Amino acid sequence: QVRLVESGGGLVQPGDSLRLSCAAPGTLILAHYVTGWYRRAPGKEREWIGNITADDTIHLADTVKGRFSITRDLAENMVYLQMDDLKPDDTAVYYCTCITANIWGQGTQVSVSS
């Protein structure tokens, strides 16, 4: 079935940066959807991070404003989550989704620890 593929996660130290990528199948054009990023920490509820709309309007949760940003490359059909100044509380599995179509990826693990 249709799915998104996240990549770019890993184990980093506090203050480091990561850039997560969200790739779509060739038949799915991300520019047609509101694309969002969510995360789920162990034992916790899913948390909305932000989203980007067709006109490149970006909305971010207060918890990540100033540190995270969302961009996209229409030519490559990819969406990115740039994460700077990572903190231990950012440790979670990160998911991208076509919000308006309920299409998800399998997630990529981000672990932040000293």
Side-chain angles (χ1 to χ4, degrees), residues 18-65:
L18 281 175
R19 183 182 182 233
L20 305 185
S21 300
C22 177
T27 56
L28 181 65
I29 303 175
L30 293 179
H32 292 178
Y33 304 92
V34 176
T35 305
W37 288 90
Y38 289 77
R39 65 186 180 185
R40 188 188 298 273
K44 293 182 170 60
E45 298 274 330
R46 184 186 67 187
E47 178 187 10
W48 175 77
I49 297 172
N51 60 263
I52 184 169
T53 65
D55 65 350
D56 282 326
T57 299
I58 299 171
H59 300 91
L60 294 170
D62 289 340
T63 53
V64 301
K65 285 182 179 177

Side-chain angles (χ1 to χ4, degrees), residues 101-112:
N102 196 30
I103 301 172
W104 294 79
Q106 81 291 341
T108 184
Q109 175 71 235
V110 173
S111 299
V112 186

Side-chain angles (χ1 to χ4, degrees), residues 10-16 18 83 85-92 94 109-114:
L11 174 62
V12 298
Q13 298 179 1
D16 284 354
L18 281 175
M83 304 185 295
D85 191 25
L86 284 162
K87 305 178 184 301
D89 286 346
D90 295 319
T91 296
Y94 284 70
Q109 175 71 235
V110 173
S111 299
V112 186
S113 64
S114 300

Side-chain angles (χ1 to χ4, degrees), residues 60-78:
L60 294 170
D62 289 340
T63 53
V64 301
K65 285 182 179 177
R67 297 190 299 120
F68 291 12
S69 63
I70 299 174
T71 58
R72 64 180 180 175
D73 188 324
L74 298 182
E76 296 185 9
N77 198 32
M78 298 185 70

